[in-house]
Amino acid sequence: MLQRTLAIETSCDDTSVGIVSFDWQHFVVEKLVAFSQIALHQQYGGVVPELAYRSHADKIVRLVEELGGTEIQKSIDFISVTAYPGLPGALVVGVTAAHTLWASRWIPVIEVNHIMGHVFSVLVERSLAALQFPYLCLTVSGGHNDLYLVELRATTKEQWAKKLTSKHEQWIQDSEKTISWRHKRMHLAVGESLEVGIYTVTKLWQTVDDAAGEVFDKVARMLGGPYPGGAWIGQMADTARAKDPTLFGTKFIDDVYTMSFSGIKSQVHTYIEKHHSGQMTQEQKAEIARSFQDAVIKTLCRTLKRAINTIVPASVGIVGGVSANKRLQMQSMEMIAASAPDKNVLLFPEKLVYCTDNAAMIGVVWHLMTHRNDW
Ligand code: KG4
Ligand code: ZN
């Protein structure tokens, strides 16, 4: 039977809602509408939480209405909503909207972990079979930069049926209250795991300081670019005449999956102060952007390569806002092709919109949490 979810994502600066279904083993995005707050925060050079909360509250009802009227909402089986991690006030808007819909339509609410959304975002508009396990996933965005291992848990049919039945019973028993099925943890520490349906997701490593997207944004600011600056840095880097300027280096400690980006950011800052205390030409900016981008990508690819060699995953994913970076996509594909092309399949989200924060990925996690389709 075709099942549908109404998915809501409001964890940071995108208000995104959509309808996702699972049809013939395929994750289908029936509708996706969003409001981006970039213009609102741009003048401040970063997300201003208070403005973000107000904007989510302002837009959420209209966006849910855009999905369709009562008839559409009646055909929804679950509401899935990002509940953590994220800006607290922003999350409250999404969760409140979900629970209000529950109260008016009696549709159960599934609270979803935002990072799990990114991890499984490679399944949006793809078939479940696109992902093989063990699956190694690098999440790279403005707020997080982690490495996850996703494994299939050995679960018997009976165990799974019992789990689902007890949840359904609970929904019926508690029908006077707001019902939700939630992940207990807010943040995973390195080494900790979370269950997503029949999958176990373990955090293997994380950046020891800034996330890559965050340094893209900060370096863009140093170069007089817009906020957010990731895409702009990519475009500037493409215009550099010197194709391999190595102004900035990276250090790599061999025995851990090191990821550190604040050192690269400091190098850019010192370089600009030393060499360009006055105005910079476009070419100088392009060269800095190119060299900076290469240093970040080198760090990401080396970490990934090391983890691939150790774990030998069946699928590898790079997800989150920075995964939209064309050069990162190219370099990582080359890296995989040179190491074990027959063993690993490298996946990026199907479309740019699924790299950055979006409700469709939250809808996919709803399905994985509540169904299993391999029998
Ligand atoms: O996943 P996302 O939308 O939000 C967070 O959860 O943080 O990621 C946003 C980040 C920003 O830092 C932005 O500069 C970066 O992703 N980004 C890029 C590109 N497009 C977005 N970074 C590098 N290259 C890009 N093309
Ligand atoms: Zn995100």
Side-chain angles (χ1 to χ4, degrees):
M1 191 179 64
L2 178 74
Q3 291 236 321
R4 281 200 170 81
T5 185
L6 190 160
I8 302 176
E9 155 65 44
T10 61
S11 67
C12 189
D13 56 350
D14 289 289
T15 320
S16 174
V17 299
I19 296 177
V20 178
S21 58
F22 187 70
D23 199 12
W24 292 95
Q25 301 288 310
H26 209 87
F27 289 99
V28 180
V29 181
E30 294 184 20
K31 262 192 173 178
L32 187 66
V33 290
F35 177 81
S36 163
Q37 300 178 0
I38 284 180
L40 204 62
H41 302 295
Q42 211 149 32
Q43 55 179 311
Y44 304 101
V47 177
V48 182
E50 179 68 22
L51 293 180
Y53 310 161
R54 286 173 191 275
S55 174
H56 284 305
D58 195 36
K59 295 290 183 294
I60 189 87
V61 173
R62 181 177 62 74
L63 289 176
V64 170
E65 278 170 2
E66 262 183 52
L67 291 180
T70 323
E71 281 314 305
I72 298 278
Q73 287 176 20
K74 270 190 202 154
S75 72
I76 299 296
D77 301 289
F78 286 91
I79 297 160
S80 44
V81 59
T82 301
Y84 34 76
L87 298 172
L91 293 167
V92 163
V93 175
V95 172
T96 307
H99 288 257
T100 307
L101 279 167
W102 166 81
S104 62
R105 309 245 179 272
W106 301 99
I107 310 168
V109 175
I110 301 281
E111 297 194 349
V112 172
N113 180 305
H114 176 78
I115 309 295
M116 295 306 117
H118 280 298
V119 167
F120 290 103
S121 62
V122 292
L123 285 175
V124 179
E125 287 194 29
R126 290 206 177 109
S127 120
L128 186 64
L131 211 50
Q132 299 295 308
F133 300 92
Y135 162 47
L136 183 72
C137 181
L138 180 65
T139 64
V140 222
S141 77
H144 41 89
N145 200 134
D146 317 318
L147 194 61
Y148 292 92
L149 175 65
V150 185
E151 294 164 296
L152 252 177
R153 215 178 37 256
T155 314
T156 64
K157 242 182 203 178
E158 290 68 32
Q159 282 168 332
W160 179 251
K162 202 168 155 198
K163 182 171 175 175
L164 268 188
T165 310
S166 70
K167 280 295 161 194
H168 281 292
E169 275 168 7
Q170 192 187 326
W171 283 328
I172 295 159
Q173 281 166 15
D174 295 355
S175 58
E176 295 290 298
K177 293 183 237 143
T178 306
I179 303 154
S180 55
W181 189 358
R182 58 180 63 144
H183 281 136
K184 290 191 184 63
R185 279 184 198 286
M186 303 283 283
H187 284 281
L188 282 187
V190 169
E192 281 186 325
S193 304
L194 196 69
E195 283 182 16
V196 176
I198 54 168
Y199 308 96
T200 302
V201 184
T202 307
K203 188 190 259 191
L204 296 182
W205 202 247
Q206 63 188 8
T207 173
V208 293
D209 38 56
D210 297 350
E214 190 182 343
V215 289
F216 264 100
D217 295 339
K218 285 179 180 156
V219 167
R221 194 171 183 176
M222 290 179 209
L223 297 175
Y227 172 84
W232 181 83
I233 291 266
Q235 286 155 12
M236 285 298 284
D238 284 346
T239 66
R241 255 179 274 136
K243 286 301 169 210
D244 289 304
T246 44
L247 305 178
F248 317 115
T250 57
K251 280 210 182 96
F252 193 61
I253 306 162
D254 258 350
D255 58 345
V256 285
Y257 306 126
T258 311
M259 281 188 281
S260 164
F261 302 98
S262 77
I264 304 171
K265 178 186 67 186
S266 304
Q267 285 180 53
V268 177
H269 182 71
T270 312
Y271 182 88
I272 293 174
E273 286 218 318
K274 195 165 160 197
H275 298 279
H276 304 296
S277 44
Q279 285 285 339
M280 277 179 272
T281 63
Q282 282 301 102
E283 175 51 27
Q284 285 162 342
K285 286 184 185 180
E287 195 184 11
I288 292 171
R290 174 86 187 207
S291 184
F292 157 76
Q293 180 179 263
D294 281 357
V296 171
I297 293 173
K298 221 178 250 175
T299 305
L300 292 171
C301 285
R302 274 192 303 203
T303 303
L304 200 56
K305 187 174 177 190
R306 210 187 142 66
I308 289 172
N309 290 344
T310 317
I311 288 154
V312 195
S315 302
V316 179
I318 305 183
V319 301
V322 182
S323 69
N325 186 285
K326 289 283 164 263
R327 196 151 165 88
L328 170 63
Q329 295 196 357
M330 243 171 54
Q331 304 258 75
S332 51
M333 282 193 277
E334 280 171 16
M335 184 264 290
I336 295 258
S339 52
D342 49 333
K343 290 210 187 83
N344 321 124
V345 176
L346 179 61
L347 293 166
F348 300 95
E350 176 71 14
K351 292 181 182 160
L352 282 188
V353 63
Y354 306 137
C355 294
T356 49
D357 293 346
N358 67 89
M361 65 185 191
I362 303 304
V364 167
V365 177
W366 144 77
H367 185 90
L368 300 176
M369 284 169 81
T370 53
H371 297 74
R372 70 171 293 182
N373 304 281
D374 55 334
W375 283 310

